Each structure stands twice: as C-alpha cells, then as structure tokens.
Amino acid sequence: MDDSRVLLAGSRLPAHEVERLLRAVTGASRTALLGGMAVGRDQKVRFRRLAVRRLAGEPLQYLEGTAAFGPIEVRVDPRVLIPRPETEQLWDLAMGMLPAGPCTVVDLGTGSGCLALAVKHRRPDVRVVAADISAAVLEVACLNARRLGLEVDLCHGDGLAALDPALRGRVEMILTNPPYIAESEWEDLPSEVRDHEPRSALVMGDGLDMYRRLAAEAAHWLSPDGVLAAEIGAAQGEAVVSIFAQAGWESEISQDLSGRDRFLTARPG
Ligand SMILES: C[S@@+](CC[C@H](N)C(=O)[O-])C[C@H]1O[C@@H](n2cnc3c(N)ncnc32)[C@H](O)[C@@H]1O
C-alpha cells in the first residue's frame, strides 16, 4: 500500500494531471486523495502505466476515458475526437437559438455524441438526430447515449445523405463541428493531436469542403425558419461567409472567448 500523497508528490507530471489519473484509477474523490488514502498495489501499477503513457504524450482524456462537455460527461477513446471548449461554446450558442417547443436538431459529424447529447440533456422535448460517416465513432456515441439515458437517433452515412429523407424541410437546426483542417496543415498540428486523435475527424480537403457541401445541400433539409450553426477554423470566417453568400445564404460569424472567429450561423436566403 502507498499513501496517495506520496504518489501525488512523486511524479514528473503536473500535480493536477497526477490527481486526475489517480482519480481515474481509484475512483476516489479529490478530497480523499489530497487528505491521504491508501492506494493498493494494482491501482499503483495501473497509475504508473497511465503516467508513462501521459509522459509519452497521450491526451489525458483518453487515459481517463472521459471528457466533460457542458452539463454532461462523455466516454472518449481514440476512435473519437476529444470535445473542445470551443465546441461547448457552439452548444451554448445553439441552445440560445433553438425555438421553444418540440423541434428537430441534426448534429452532423457527431463523434462522441457530445453536441447531440448535451442538446438532448438540456432540451428533452427536442428530437435529436446524430449522424457520422464512421460506424466505429457511432458505437461510442451510442454507448454515451445509453450511459446518459438520453434518446437520440443515430444515422450512419456521408454528410446529410445519412438522414432519413422524411426529414427534408423539417429540421429546425443543423449543428455541426465538421473536419475543417486542411490536408496541408496536418503536419503542423501538435503531436499530442496528430499522433493520437483520429485524422478523419479533423482533416478534409482544403478545410472548407464540408462548408461547400453544406452551403449546397443544407437548405433542402431545413424548415422555413431553420438555421445552420457550425464551428469554423479561426482563419476561415471570410471564406466561409463567401461560400454561403454565393449559395444565397445570409450568415454571420461570431467569436470564441479569445476573440477569434469560430462560429457560423446561417439561414437560407
Ligand atoms: C471535428 S469531429 C467532431 C466530433 C464532435 N461533434 C465534437 O465536436 O467533438 C468531426 C466528425 O465528423 C465526422 N465526419 C467526417 N467526415 C464526415 C462526413 N463526410 N459525413 C459525416 N460525418 C463525417 C468524423 O467521423 C468526426 O466524428
């Protein structure tokens, strides 16, 4: 047996990371760990293995197996992107734009299901459809929906073609955090991202491909007052507005907490 305080003090990792890994391994609260508790031999071995992997650059959330997203926590593993704080802001923005009363929201490229499930959590009266091109990703979203006891429709397919045709003209909001990094930018990403997170969740063509597809196709799925809310790359605001304007949409860009262009909201003209 070791005292948790000895393990907390004896790692090369930052203290908050050691604490999170110890919590993942023991299931104990922060207070119990900081106050000093016995850590069993097996737990210590598991903790040491995780610490080695963390020192080698694996994202903390994959090691913990969970990520916080707004009001919920989702399971994550290397099949899915780790939800980002900007995407929580997209969720917040979207919640503020949803009409009162029952309506339908599509989360395109759902990954862990974080956006879809946080919408359903906050608004149980909304029908939420979560789509992704990857069957492996949808397994994670399905697991998260079950664990959280939230009912969302999962659809497998490429872009909006995954949706049930009966939804045409009936979707009040299309919400999406699509892959928006250009193939040419992949090598410049931090190795913690490049070596561990799924490339297919991040990269698509020149980074603007999914916005072009949405500008061409999304209006057919939206109801007359429907809106598209999408995350964009910090340098893509102008290009994305121009893509949507050319397709006849009226759009607006808003910023994240650090003042960078990050979100597109658009309505068919
Ligand atoms: C940036 S991740 C977003 C994941 C999650 N919504 C989030 O915000 O954490 C993009 C997701 O889009 C999916 N995707 C990529 N290409 C797609 C396509 N053509 N059609 C549907 N989904 C796609 C990926 O599998 C991935 O899960």
Side-chain angles (χ1 to χ4, degrees), residues 81-83 87 107-112 114-115 131-134 137 157-159 177-179 200-201 204 210 213:
L81 191 83
I82 297 166
T87 313
D107 170 22
L108 181 64
T110 197
S112 60
C114 56
L115 275 168
D132 207 285
I133 197 168
S134 158
V137 158
D158 185 359
N177 173 21
S200 55
M204 194 181 271
M210 190 51 101
R213 287 177 63 176

Side-chain angles (χ1 to χ4, degrees), residues 108-257:
L108 181 64
T110 197
S112 60
C114 56
L115 275 168
L117 294 167
V119 170
K120 188 71 184 175
H121 174 89
R122 180 61 59 85
R123 285 283 304 271
D125 60 327
V126 170
R127 177 182 177 193
V128 179
V129 180
D132 207 285
I133 197 168
S134 158
V137 158
L138 285 171
E139 281 173 23
V140 181
C142 182
L143 169 81
N144 279 319
R146 277 212 215 105
R147 279 187 67 241
L148 292 163
L150 295 168
E151 200 175 310
V152 297
D153 298 344
L154 298 172
C155 301
H156 181 214
D158 185 359
L160 295 167
L163 304 181
D164 177 348
L167 282 175
R168 274 185 174 259
R170 294 171 172 219
V171 175
E172 275 75 20
M173 178 180 284
I174 296 174
L175 188 56
T176 184
N177 173 21
Y180 55 71
I181 291 169
E183 304 269 355
S184 59
E185 292 168 335
W186 175 250
E187 290 302 326
D188 299 330
L189 292 182
S191 63
E192 186 166 330
V193 175
R194 209 181 52 229
D195 296 344
H196 300 283
E197 296 201 77
R199 191 180 196 277
S200 55
L202 291 159
V203 169
M204 194 181 271
D206 68 353
L208 295 167
D209 284 14
M210 190 51 101
Y211 305 112
R212 290 191 193 95
R213 287 177 63 176
L214 288 169
E217 299 164 19
H220 305 303
W221 295 92
L222 289 174
S223 62
D225 291 329
V227 63
L228 172 82
E231 188 169 317
I232 62 168
Q236 291 175 325
E238 227 172 277
V240 169
V241 166
S242 154
I243 287 168
F244 278 81
Q246 279 172 38
W249 294 66
E250 283 174 14
S251 62
E252 210 176 296
I253 299 292
S254 49
Q255 288 72 37
D256 64 16
L257 297 173

